[in-house]
Amino acid sequence: DAGVTQSPTHLIKTRGQQVTLRCSPISGHKSVSWYQQVLGQGPQFIFQYYEKEERGRGNFPDRFSARQFPNYSSELNVNALLLGDSALYLCASSLDTGFRNQPQHFGDGTRLSIL
Amino acid sequence: GQQLNQSPQSMFIQEGEDVSMNCTSSSIFNTWLWYKQEPGEGPVLLIALYKAGELTSNGRLTAQFGITRKDSFLNISASIPSDVGIYFCAGLSYGGATNKLIFGTGTLLAVQP
């Protein structure tokens, strides 16, 4: 079975541009979460979506937005890119928002570099 | 952003040695997790802990959920070169219908053959 897949794997943008990152969860998983991992740090929570609804938001500016589609895939959008947005963006999926015995499984991420 | 305190920051050991690392928080968690991340990859779940005091093993890995629910420990016995990577602890924070992982600062493990 395929794990969590993310695209693209690498992306280079310039300041002020906009970017869209994509995630396909494990088949049967309905919850998708997004995390930002800056070099040398642990991942930071950005969003959680379940059944196409936002269920949680981390401490990120409104330039960050996301959505989930009927097939449970998800997109993360970042507008007006800043140098500080350079990071590895990770997507994780789980069966639903209830966690016990339903661990979050991570994709390999999208490496975003801002010039 | 919020991160848990994880120590040591890095470890450089010889193959066959045992390894211990720990994670502490100022907040209580109901679930503790340990992940391993290798270069170019996402975190891979190693062990999940659901009860205070719980001790769980996964092969050569053993993790414990602290009694205070504010800490957790991971031990790796008889390390091998493929154990190289960054190990992260994570506490699961429940909030309404949301669950989010709060990660530690990571422990870099290097194993000398």
Side-chain angles (χ1 to χ4, degrees):
Chain A
D1 287 343
V4 177
T5 58
Q6 294 187 242
S7 63
T9 55
H10 296 82
L11 202 52
I12 299 175
K13 292 285 188 179
T14 58
R15 284 176 294 176
Q17 286 189 309
Q18 173 266 340
V19 68
T20 298
L21 311 180
R22 295 176 176 82
C23 171
S24 293
I26 293 171
S27 178
H29 284 193
K30 299 181 179 180
S31 178
V32 169
S33 298
W34 288 95
Y35 292 81
Q36 180 196 64
Q37 185 175 25
V38 175
L39 195 62
Q41 297 183 17
Q44 295 284 328
F45 175 77
I46 309 175
F47 286 110
Q48 183 181 52
Y49 275 77
Y50 176 67
E51 290 284 11
K52 302 183 292 295
E53 290 187 3
E54 181 183 304
R55 291 299 184 91
R57 172 186 284 259
N59 188 24
F60 281 80
D62 291 343
R63 299 185 296 108
F64 289 77
S65 63
R67 56 180 175 169
Q68 187 177 32
F69 298 98
N71 66 353
Y72 304 109
S73 66
S74 178
E75 288 182 352
L76 175 70
N77 297 287
V78 186
N79 294 323
L81 288 166
L82 303 173
L83 292 178
D85 295 330
S86 295
L88 180 68
Y89 289 84
L90 294 162
C91 174
S93 77
S94 59
L95 283 173
D96 59 37
T97 56
F99 185 88
R100 186 176 178 90
N101 295 325
Q102 298 168 24
Q104 292 187 20
H105 296 273
F106 285 84
D108 287 336
T110 294
R111 172 70 63 185
L112 176 63
S113 299
I114 311 301
L115 302 179
Chain B
Q2 182 183 4
Q3 289 195 87
L4 307 179
N5 297 314
Q6 196 170 338
S7 63
Q9 186 174 12
S10 60
M11 301 182 73
F12 299 88
I13 62 172
Q14 295 287 328
E15 183 176 1
E17 290 185 24
D18 296 343
V19 170
S20 292
M21 59 190 77
N22 68 77
C23 192
T24 60
S25 169
S26 58
S27 303
I28 290 174
F29 289 108
N30 291 316
T31 300
W32 281 92
L33 306 151
W34 285 90
Y35 286 86
K36 177 187 177 186
Q37 188 174 25
E38 298 184 40
E41 299 182 5
V44 175
L45 182 68
L46 300 174
I47 291 180
L49 302 159
Y50 300 108
K51 294 181 182 179
E54 180 180 353
L55 188 70
T56 298
S57 294
N58 177 9
R60 295 178 294 106
L61 278 63
T62 301
Q64 184 161 25
F65 192 141
I67 292 294
T68 65
R69 292 198 282 164
K70 291 183 177 182
D71 56 5
S72 181
F73 304 86
L74 175 70
N75 295 314
I76 304 174
S77 62
S79 59
I80 59 179
S82 63
D83 290 334
V84 166
I86 302 177
Y87 290 79
F88 289 100
C89 62
L92 181 67
S93 174
Y94 293 101
T98 304
N99 64 78
K100 64 178 181 180
L101 295 175
I102 310 296
F103 280 84
T105 48
T107 294
L108 172 64
L109 177 63
V111 180
Q112 177 76 28

